[in-house]
Amino acid sequence: MQVQALFFAVTRDLAGVAEATVDVPGDAPTVADFVRALEATYPGLAGRMATVRIAQNERFASLDVALAEGDVLALVPPVSGG
């Protein structure tokens, strides 16, 4: 299944892209499967995704949420300010 990934802030720096089409394997892939596919495709993200929130079609999603073909998933890293 293919989904669209949008990378923001540090995730964009680590992946080296602002957006990408990601192939997520499996018969009924979830957000967790998407994260594993990202870490395999973009090694700079490996081990750093635990603090990144995933928004599926503009709504935050937990790791067990099912994906659908063509979903748009945004990687939202933690934000700090001062």
Side-chain angles (χ1 to χ4, degrees):
M1 164 182 310
Q2 289 189 333
V3 297
Q4 187 69 23
L6 305 177
F7 301 82
F8 294 99
V10 70
T11 63
R12 180 177 35 221
D13 296 338
L14 293 170
V17 295
E19 61 182 76
T21 300
V22 178
D23 289 314
V24 184
D27 294 331
T30 64
V31 173
D33 296 319
F34 166 74
V35 170
R36 282 190 287 278
L38 278 180
E39 290 178 328
T41 305
Y42 302 100
L45 295 174
R48 298 175 186 246
M49 292 299 294
T51 61
V52 175
R53 296 206 51 201
I54 307 293
Q56 177 189 31
N57 302 322
E58 301 183 6
R59 297 187 136 198
F60 285 116
S62 60
L63 293 175
D64 62 346
V65 171
L67 298 178
E69 183 77 30
D71 276 350
V72 176
L73 296 128
L75 284 68
V76 184
V79 179
S80 65

